């Protein structure tokens, strides 16, 4: 009798990542709605809070990249999952009289843990990938995003379930994520970086690889006023333009995320894309139409249609950019390169929070969408100049059926 082939570790990896993402999505919802919907803070103050929460985590993200290249990532992720259970359980004690500073501490602690875990989790993906990197990243995006919708749904039941129950569910997801990662074989994705490499290693690698550097820079500017407009502007659009409660805001996030899932299902059928950069370039122009239409404050049914379209746009942009970075990053520095990739997204976050918070405070919630229009035009021109239109994916090399 022939021996059974070894089981792929990918399902356990995917389970751990999905459960973490569900809890993290619930965290995004809770911070946005509790500050804006429950405490009723102004847009300027909300922008300041987001910047305060996001800025300190930047340094930890780079540290996380170095750690992820040097230690057993499996043990690291299990430990961080267990630590992540503590903040939601701690905030339960103040759930009846929620106040500003406990909520800030809650957000900051989980932001720190997220910064340490993301580079290790992302870099481990190449070690457990069951197929080419484009398809693996897309499957990962689809499944984790679906669980993220589940996290938003739980957040939408805040009034029915109560804050204590919602926080307990979040802690349970973090704990279950650690259990799933624990089932991975010891040593999967273990650190391979050579000794003596410090925080600057990821930046040194990028300096030597212009195309990889360009993809990360373009993603940084895309995050600043496109993803930033979604994260900063949406709770105020829900509250002030459409008069929505927490269930309405959760539905907004679910519709947006459903658009992201749908586009990734289509991408999965088309992959491997021979020229993925062309999809990135095209999304910059279609986003302009979506942002302007949302700025016009359409009726509610059309607003949700446009939200889904924006989710499709953001999903294509982020999946294609992440897949290109995964393909182009050298294996021995992948965690550090990915930490720089995530670092770019997080650098954009406090900047967009401060700028868009001020814009919304001065001119209204939908005005926060408008800076994304000229930024998208600049990204379109920049992506063409950077060579993304001509880039051919290694995953699709030699495959006659690859899509352009």
């Amino acid at each position: 009798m022939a021996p059974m082939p070894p089981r792929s570790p990918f399902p356990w990896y995917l389970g751990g990542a999905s459960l973490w993402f569900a809890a993290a999505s619930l965290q995004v919802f809770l911070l946005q709605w509790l500050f804006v919907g429950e405490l009723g803070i102004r847009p300027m103050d909300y922008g300041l809070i987001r910047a305060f929460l996001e800025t300190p985590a930047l340094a930890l993200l780079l540290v996380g990249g170095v750690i992820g290249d040097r230690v057993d990532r499996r043990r690291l992720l299990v430990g961080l999952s267990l630590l992540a259970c503590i903040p939601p359980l701690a905030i339960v004690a103040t759930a009846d009289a929620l106040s500003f500073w406990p909520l800030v501490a809650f957000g900051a602690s989980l932001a720190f843990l997220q910064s340490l875990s993301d580079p290790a989790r992302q870099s481990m993906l190449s070690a457990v990938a069951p197929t080419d990197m484009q398809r693996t990243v897309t499957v990962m995006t689809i499944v984790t995003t679906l669980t993220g919708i589940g996290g938003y749904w739980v957040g939408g039941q805040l009034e029915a379930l109560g804050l204590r129950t919602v926080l307990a569910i979040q802690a349970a997801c973090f704990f279950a994520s650690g259990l799933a990662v624990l089932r991975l074989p010891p040593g999967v994705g273990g650190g391979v970086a050579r000794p003596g490499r410090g925080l600057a290693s990821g930046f040194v690698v990028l300096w030597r690889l212009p195309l990889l550097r360009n993809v990360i820079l373009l993603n940084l500017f895309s995050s600043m006023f496109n993803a930033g407009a979604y994260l900063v502007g949406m709770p105020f659009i829900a509250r002030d333009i459409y008069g929505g409660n927490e269930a309405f805001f959760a539905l907004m996030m679910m519709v947006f995320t459903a658009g992201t899932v749908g586009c990734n299902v289509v991408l999965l059928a088309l992959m491997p894309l021979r020229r993925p950069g062309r999809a990135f370039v095209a999304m910059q122009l279609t986003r302009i139409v979506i942002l302007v239409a949302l700025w016009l404050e359409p009726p509610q049914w059309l607003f949700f249609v446009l939200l889904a379209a924006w989710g499709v746009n953001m999903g294509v942009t982020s999946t294609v950019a992440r897949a290109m970075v995964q393909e182009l990053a050298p294996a021995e520095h992948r965690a550090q390169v990915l930490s720089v990739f995530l670092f770019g997204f997080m650098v954009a976050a406090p900047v967009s929070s401060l700028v868009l918070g001020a814009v919304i405070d001065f001119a209204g919630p939908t005005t926060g969408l408008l800076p994304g229009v000229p930024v998208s035009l600049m990204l379109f021109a920049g992506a063409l100049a950077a060579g993304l239109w001509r880039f051919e994916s290694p995953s699709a090399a030699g495959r006659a059926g690859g899509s352009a």
Side-chain angles (χ1 to χ4, degrees), residues 18 21-22 140-152 257-258 261 265:
S18 299
F21 195 80
M140 173 95 168
T141 302
I142 291 170
V143 176
T144 56
T145 305
L146 283 171
T147 59
I149 291 176
Y152 297 142
T257 311
V261 173
V265 170

Side-chain angles (χ1 to χ4, degrees), residues 71-361:
V71 304
D72 185 336
R73 296 162 194 157
R74 171 178 166 270
R75 294 177 61 186
L76 175 65
L77 291 176
V78 170
L80 292 173
S81 297
L82 295 178
L83 287 174
C85 298
I86 298 173
L89 295 178
I91 205 72
V92 165
T94 63
D96 288 333
L98 194 65
S99 58
F100 180 81
W101 286 112
L103 193 55
V104 169
F106 173 58
S109 57
L110 285 177
F112 291 163
L113 294 172
Q114 183 86 21
S115 296
L116 289 173
S117 68
D118 272 351
R121 194 183 309 278
Q122 297 280 354
S123 63
M124 191 188 286
L125 180 59
S126 59
V128 300
T131 181
D132 64 78
M133 190 52 64
Q134 281 191 24
R135 284 194 176 99
T136 299
V137 168
T138 306
V139 169
M140 173 95 168
T141 302
I142 291 170
V143 176
T144 56
T145 305
L146 283 171
T147 59
I149 291 176
Y152 297 142
W153 181 86
V154 171
Q157 309 308 306
L158 185 61
E159 185 174 351
L161 296 175
L163 183 56
R164 282 193 172 90
T165 301
V166 171
L167 290 168
I169 292 171
Q170 184 186 36
C173 286
F174 281 130
F175 184 76
S177 173
L179 292 181
V181 174
L182 194 61
R183 296 298 299 270
L184 290 170
V188 166
V192 295
R194 289 173 290 179
R197 295 299 179 98
L199 289 175
S201 180
F203 290 102
V204 171
V205 172
L206 292 180
W207 184 257
R208 295 171 182 168
L209 298 171
L211 183 59
L212 180 59
R213 181 179 69 240
N214 290 339
V215 172
I216 290 178
L217 284 173
L218 288 166
N219 189 71
L220 185 155
F221 287 106
S222 178
S223 302
M224 194 168 293
F225 293 113
N226 295 319
Y230 173 73
L231 292 171
V232 179
M234 283 299 109
F236 294 100
I237 290 175
R239 187 190 72 180
D240 299 338
I241 302 299
Y242 294 98
N245 59 8
E246 73 277 357
F248 181 86
F249 181 51
L251 181 60
M252 285 173 53
M253 301 184 83
M254 291 167 67
V255 168
F256 179 92
T257 311
T260 302
V261 173
C263 82
N264 276 283
V265 170
V266 174
L267 282 175
L268 184 62
L270 297 174
M271 284 179 169
L273 301 177
R274 188 163 63 91
R275 297 185 186 273
R278 294 187 177 184
F280 185 93
V281 172
M283 289 301 102
Q284 308 312 313
L285 294 181
T286 58
R287 189 187 300 117
I288 293 172
V289 177
I290 296 167
L291 292 176
V292 171
L294 287 168
W295 171 70
L296 294 173
E297 299 180 15
Q300 195 174 112
W301 69 268
L302 182 55
F303 172 72
F304 280 110
V305 171
L306 291 168
L307 266 186
W310 195 8
V312 170
N313 184 286
M314 198 90 77
V316 173
T317 303
S318 60
T319 298
V320 166
R322 192 167 140 219
M324 287 191 289
V325 171
Q326 286 273 6
E327 287 183 317
L328 292 168
E332 66 271 19
H333 295 289
R334 187 167 283 122
Q336 287 165 273
V337 169
L338 287 167
S339 72
V340 176
F341 177 68
L342 295 167
F343 179 79
F345 181 83
M346 293 185 70
V347 164
V351 175
S352 64
S353 294
L354 291 172
V355 173
L356 295 177
V359 168
I360 292 169
D361 208 35

